[in-house]
Structure formats: structure tokens, C-alpha cells
Amino acid sequence: MSAPDHIARHGDTTPEPGQLDLSRPSGKRTTKSGCASVFMVVATLLAVIPLVWLLFAAIRRGIGSLFHVSWWTHSMDPSFELAKQGAIHAIVGTLEIGLITSIISVPIALLTAIFLVEYARGTKIAKVISFAVDVLTGVPSIVAALFIFAVVVTTLGGTQSAWASSLALMILMVPTVLRSTEEMLKLVPDSLREASFALGVSKWKTIIKVVLPTSMTGILTGIVLGLARVMGETAPLIVLLQFNTELTVNPSTPNFATLPTVITNAYTQGGVDTPVVWGAAITLIIIVMGLNLIARGISRRYMRRMGK
């Protein structure tokens, strides 16, 4: 009589020697697995519920402003009627400061990450730089703003401007982009580098042609995450800019408007229930979400092209 027939006839679920145990597990391991699953579900809900609540509150209170054409075409110039007040000056200012910050931060972060992973891995200088990056990661935004104010405005005799604000935001963006880029470069298998070296390709060409394309999706994601963080910062803008109600594109002027400063100014004057507060908030959310979708689209198209 075969082992399966014996088990079926006598109801014995004990596996024979060398036979896989396909019965449902029980005991302490099952209990621990169930508790871990419950904790994971609870943690997920704790993360998702506040996010959904925040989006619902912002949309419910601020969506009305977005349906007015004047919101996207007019500024908050006092010469305009109240019904025609808009946020185009703040939208343009936010995008401009984000662009300037990215132009400064991304090359610094990418080159530093490449140096740490490809040239100085395991050396003392890499440990020192990594420690410095860890320290910068935890620096509050107000400290970065005060540092730039002390250096640019007080010491060098400069003025408050979008350039100075971008320098403060750069201090906050570089660690985020650098860390994500460093981790993505480490995930590239060494076999790809060795195969490139075996074909006689130089190190810098290997980095450009093999390492960076392989990790491009993660790098773009890190850049978007870093940009999303700095676009919502308020402290550097309050310290290094003066609020403006008109459209200005000159980054050297101290009078410059952004969505965070519009929110702060409107809240100070009218409270949290002011439509401008929630209109600017949902506009900022849309901009960040749009940047995320653009980055995902670019990365997917790039990966499809690489697959061909």
C-alpha cells in the first residue's frame, strides 16, 4: 500500500520520511504570523487614513478656487476685484524656485553619489562624507535658512532673493537626492561593471553607459522626492523672501511669492478657513503629484527604450 493510500485510509496527517508536509501550519509560528499580519494591516491603515483625510479636507475646502479661471491667470494684486484674485504669481514663483534649486542640487548630489560608490567605496573619506550627509539630513529648514541669511545677506552683503532661498533649499534637497542615488548605484550588480571593464571600456564610460542607465528609474524617483520636500518648505522662504502680491519672475528681487508663503500670509490674515489657504494647498499638492507622474512617465518610457 502506498503512503498516500495509507494516509487517506487511516486519517494520519503525519508525513512519511522524505515527504513534504503540506498540512496547514499550527502552533506558535502560526500565531506569530497572524499577529504580524494584523500589525502590518494596522500600520498601513495608520499611514493611509491620515493621507486620505488630508486630501479630502484639502479638496473639499479648496477645490472651489481652482474652478475659477482667474485663479490660474491673475495674481493677488490689490487692484483686482476680490472675485478675480488668483495665484498665478505664487505658482510661477514656486516652480521657478524649484527649478533653480534642482539645477543647483541635482548635479552636486549625483556627482557626490558617484564618487562615494564608484571611486571611494570603503575609504575613510567616504565615511566622513556619509556622516556629513547624515547630519545634513536632520538639519531643520529654519537652521538652513538662518545659515544662508548669515552668509549671503549679513557676511557677503547680498539681498533677500529667490537665489538665496534656493541655496537654503539646496541644503535640504541634496541629502535626499544623494542618499537615494547612492542606494540605487549600489544595487547595480558588479558583474555589469566587470563585463564592461572586460570589453576594454574605461571606468567613466562604464558609469555613464552602464551604471547610470541601469539605475535611472531610482535616481529620477529620488530627485522627485527631494523636489517634493523642498517645494513645501516655508521657513527658508519667510526668512529669505518678502511676500509679494504681483507676478515677478526676477529671482534677484526680494519681493517674490510662492504657494507656501501665500498659505502663511492668508492664514495670518484670515485664519484656517480662508479659501485662499486651501486653494493654494490643493494647488501645491497638484503640482507635486504632477511632477511625480511626469517622472514616472519618463522612467517608464526610458525603461521601454532600454528594453528594446
Side-chain angles (χ1 to χ4, degrees):
M1 181 182 299
S2 62
D5 294 338
H6 174 75
I7 294 175
R9 177 173 297 183
H10 297 282
D12 187 7
T13 58
T14 304
E16 295 291 335
Q19 182 182 1
L20 292 177
D21 185 6
L22 302 179
S23 61
R24 186 174 182 178
S26 60
K28 294 183 178 180
R29 296 179 62 183
T30 303
T31 303
K32 292 180 180 179
S33 177
C35 292
S37 300
V38 171
F39 288 148
M40 291 175 61
V41 172
V42 172
T44 303
L45 292 177
L46 290 177
V48 172
I49 290 177
L51 175 62
V52 175
W53 195 351
L54 172 63
L55 291 176
F56 176 75
I59 293 174
R60 181 173 61 87
R61 299 188 180 190
I63 196 65
S65 300
L66 273 62
F67 284 111
H68 294 288
V69 178
S70 59
W71 180 262
W72 306 99
T73 58
H74 291 178
S75 63
M76 292 181 179
D77 193 330
S79 61
F80 294 153
E81 298 178 6
L82 182 61
K84 295 183 179 180
Q85 297 290 323
I88 185 61
H89 63 308
I91 296 173
V92 172
T94 300
L95 295 176
E96 187 172 347
I97 287 183
L99 178 61
I100 296 173
T101 304
S102 300
I103 292 175
I104 300 173
S105 303
V106 172
I108 296 175
L110 290 180
L111 293 176
T112 305
I114 291 174
F115 174 76
L116 292 176
V117 176
E118 302 296 334
Y119 292 95
R121 185 184 298 187
T123 61
K124 292 183 178 180
I125 188 172
K127 295 180 181 179
V128 173
I129 296 176
S130 297
F131 176 76
V133 172
D134 292 336
V135 173
L136 286 177
T137 303
V139 170
S141 59
I142 186 65
V143 175
L146 292 176
F147 171 74
I148 295 299
F149 185 88
V151 173
V152 175
V153 179
T154 304
T155 304
L156 300 179
T159 60
Q160 295 172 300
S161 63
W163 288 107
S165 301
S166 298
L167 292 177
L169 295 176
M170 179 266 295
I171 298 177
L172 305 175
M173 183 175 178
V174 165
T176 303
V177 180
L178 194 154
R179 277 298 178 212
S180 61
T181 303
E182 184 180 2
E183 294 301 323
M184 290 301 104
L185 294 179
K186 288 180 179 179
L187 292 177
V188 178
D190 290 335
S191 58
L192 294 179
R193 299 181 178 88
E194 294 170 357
S196 179
F197 295 152
L199 295 175
V201 182
S202 61
K203 189 176 185 65
W204 70 271
K205 282 188 176 181
T206 299
I207 295 173
I208 295 176
K209 298 292 186 179
V210 178
V211 178
L212 290 180
T214 304
S215 57
M216 184 58 65
T217 302
I219 293 175
L220 289 176
T221 303
I223 293 174
V224 172
L225 290 176
L227 184 59
R229 181 199 173 188
V230 300
M231 290 185 72
E233 289 290 345
T234 306
L237 306 178
I238 294 177
V239 173
L240 297 167
L241 286 177
Q242 298 177 13
F243 183 70
N244 188 20
T245 58
E246 300 178 0
L247 177 61
T248 304
V249 295
N250 183 8
S252 300
T253 179
N255 298 321
F256 208 84
T258 62
L259 289 171
T261 54
V262 166
I263 295 173
T264 303
N265 185 73
Y267 171 77
T268 303
Q269 294 182 356
V272 71
D273 291 329
T274 306
V276 176
V277 172
W278 294 101
I282 192 64
T283 303
L284 185 59
I285 293 174
I286 291 174
I287 291 175
V288 174
M289 186 180 300
L291 291 174
N292 194 3
L293 293 176
I294 291 174
R296 287 178 177 270
I298 293 175
S299 63
R300 288 180 180 178
R301 183 176 180 181
Y302 183 84
M303 293 304 295
R304 286 198 299 265
R305 188 180 66 180
M306 292 296 295
K308 293 180 179 180

